[in-house]
Amino acid sequence: MNTKSSLQKAAVFHKFGGPEVVSLEDVAVPSLQENELLIQVKFSTVNSADCRIRSRNVPRGFGTILGLLYGFKEPKLKVLGLEVAGEVVATGAAVKGFRLKDRVLVNLGFGMGGHQEYVVVKEKSQVIKIPDEVSFEQAVASVFGGTTALLYLRDKLLLKPNHKILITGAGGAVGSAAVQIALSMGAEVTAVCSTDKAPLVGGFGVHKVIDYKKSDWKAQPQEYDAVFDTVGVFGVEDLIPWLSETGKAALAVADLPLNLKCFWFSLTHKRKVYAGAVSPRNSDLEALLSQIKNRQFDPVIGKVIPFSAIREAHQIADSGHKLGSVLLKMS
């Protein structure tokens, strides 16, 4: 492939707004440096991070930070997409660890750029090989929800075998990953989800499913070693009756004041409440793919949308009630 002259399709947005601001355009395939890989994207995802950046609809206190990173009046980055799974189609002269046709998973992070047919990444970035036993779809669906769940459960909540944990939003990308990973760690899981997602969540083998549409469950607190709120149900004070004396909680959705409140609460109490972004490493991605390979974790894929219909994927993600991950099939 002549990367200097070739064109590709990319999902581009030139102003902030709803799904309608995203459109497919012809853009140049990125040129390749000696330490980089050119990857043909097979699948990507559209998730809540894409929607927040596209719409500038972020939790209170983070607007200025988002503006500095991505622009105030118009987008600095024109192509969204946090993660991709694809095939190596060209390598720079200095690349040693990858070959043509390697199947790879890439976490692009908040530099974005996954919603296009080809991406270029440095060999030393977050790019790993996908085991033969793992599909492109499973690999790319594991990143956003899987890394968030793994890092909170393992590193923040310090989840141990036989710990009792409550997980809210158990049908979403983060929640469904958290349920499965917590079970693989030997925890006793109580999962909160909607009626339509209850059969799926119950099928994971959880101890109990709470259907929030059928009961006033928050009025009947139970004591847990850990609570993982993936959808913004709890405030800090709300969590106290739900936690054991030394229990820990994590809030995956929190505005800046709530982040600060969590920090102060954890400094002054035996119970701990954590919030904020997590930063996965290559070893975390490899751990997730190993769990998929060993059938301990199967990322939930709610829908696969053709790249040409990317606005539909944004609409689903905007709804706030999507099942698992929404995937983009690039070709």
Side-chain angles (χ1 to χ4, degrees), residues 189-205:
V189 177
T190 297
V192 182
C193 64
S194 60
T195 307
D196 57 327
K197 297 173 183 176
L200 170 74
V201 173
F204 293 139

Side-chain angles (χ1 to χ4, degrees), residues 132-266:
D132 291 339
E133 298 86 351
V134 179
S135 69
F136 284 126
E137 296 96 320
Q138 289 174 309
V140 78
S142 74
V143 179
F144 183 73
T147 56
T148 303
L150 176 65
L151 295 180
Y152 267 120
L153 295 175
R154 185 190 66 194
D155 301 341
K156 301 292 186 183
L157 298 178
L158 304 178
L159 197 66
K160 304 296 183 186
N162 299 317
H163 272 185
K164 295 181 179 180
I165 182 170
L166 176 74
I167 299 174
T168 69
V174 177
S176 61
V179 167
Q180 294 180 74
I181 293 170
L183 289 170
S184 75
M185 297 170 76
E188 180 183 295
V189 177
T190 297
V192 182
C193 64
S194 60
T195 307
D196 57 327
K197 297 173 183 176
L200 170 74
V201 173
F204 293 139
V206 299
H207 173 71
K208 181 180 181 181
V209 176
I210 297 175
D211 183 342
Y212 69 80
K213 291 187 174 182
K214 292 184 176 180
S215 67
D216 185 14
W217 66 277
K218 286 188 68 180
Q220 302 170 334
Q222 306 288 319
E223 191 173 282
Y224 293 91
D225 301 295
V227 172
F228 188 18
D229 179 9
T230 75
V231 289
V233 170
F234 289 110
V236 174
E237 292 81 4
D238 301 331
L239 285 161
I240 293 174
W242 292 88
L243 292 173
S244 65
E245 186 177 347
T246 57
K248 299 177 177 63
L251 308 180
V253 180
D255 60 18
L256 184 57
L258 185 53
N259 270 265
L260 296 174
K261 185 177 288 188
C262 291
F263 177 73
W264 177 250
F265 181 89
S266 297

